[in-house]
Amino acid sequence: MATFDQINPGDSATFTKTIGESDVYLFAGITGDLNPAHVDAVSAANGMFKQRIAHGMLTGSFISTVLAMQLPGPGTIYVGQNLQFRAPVFIGDTITARVEAIEKLDQRKWVKFRTTITNQDGKLVVDGEATVIPPQA
């Protein structure tokens, strides 16, 4: 856990996960997003990517994992996030979510982070920025 005073621009942390078929189906069930691009192999084969893709928000959710569990860590409050989905994530891809502190907002004691997710080939699949309230001392 890192408090506002302990975080410096450039501090970073990562989380890596291989996206499995069960991850996609569980996310679809929890959210109700049953888009055939995610859950129907026959339909997806005829779509833009020619195979099923993971939900963008499933992929993006791993940014929350890094912020909540590593940097700043437990007790962090997420107050904002923007995301740009740059490339698809396929079942079987190994993705790495990375956060890097880019700005400390002294007046509110908030921190802005650059948030990125890359796949096993180093390709950027998600890009964005998060604002959080770090845990208190």
Side-chain angles (χ1 to χ4, degrees):
M1 176 185 77
T3 64
F4 179 83
D5 292 332
Q6 295 169 325
I7 297 171
N8 296 300
D11 289 352
S12 66
T14 62
F15 174 79
T16 300
K17 177 172 177 46
T18 300
I19 302 298
E21 190 166 7
S22 62
D23 298 315
V24 172
Y25 282 121
L26 288 168
F27 190 85
I30 289 167
T31 63
D33 180 351
L34 302 173
N35 183 330
H38 309 305
V39 299
D40 183 339
V42 173
S43 178
N46 294 314
M48 178 185 296
F49 300 112
K50 306 301 181 201
Q51 61 181 301
R52 288 184 300 145
I53 58 172
H55 301 75
M57 293 307 292
L58 169 60
T59 303
S61 71
F62 296 113
I63 294 166
S64 180
T65 302
V66 184
L67 293 168
M69 302 308 298
Q70 295 184 43
L71 181 67
T76 296
I77 304 298
Y78 222 145
V79 295
Q81 176 75 58
N82 67 51
L83 297 172
Q84 293 86 44
F85 300 101
R86 304 288 187 180
V89 172
F90 300 104
I91 294 170
D93 279 357
T94 299
I95 58 169
T96 299
R98 182 176 192 273
V99 304
E100 179 181 346
I102 57 172
E103 183 180 1
K104 293 177 76 168
L105 305 171
D106 293 318
Q107 184 175 0
R108 296 184 110 172
K109 295 199 180 291
W110 292 7
V111 180
K112 284 188 179 183
F113 288 88
R114 166 107 193 268
T115 57
T116 58
I117 301 176
T118 54
N119 68 13
Q120 65 278 356
D121 299 320
K123 183 173 187 172
L124 182 68
V125 297
V126 178
D127 194 12
E129 186 176 283
T131 304
V132 305
I133 303 170
Q136 302 299 309

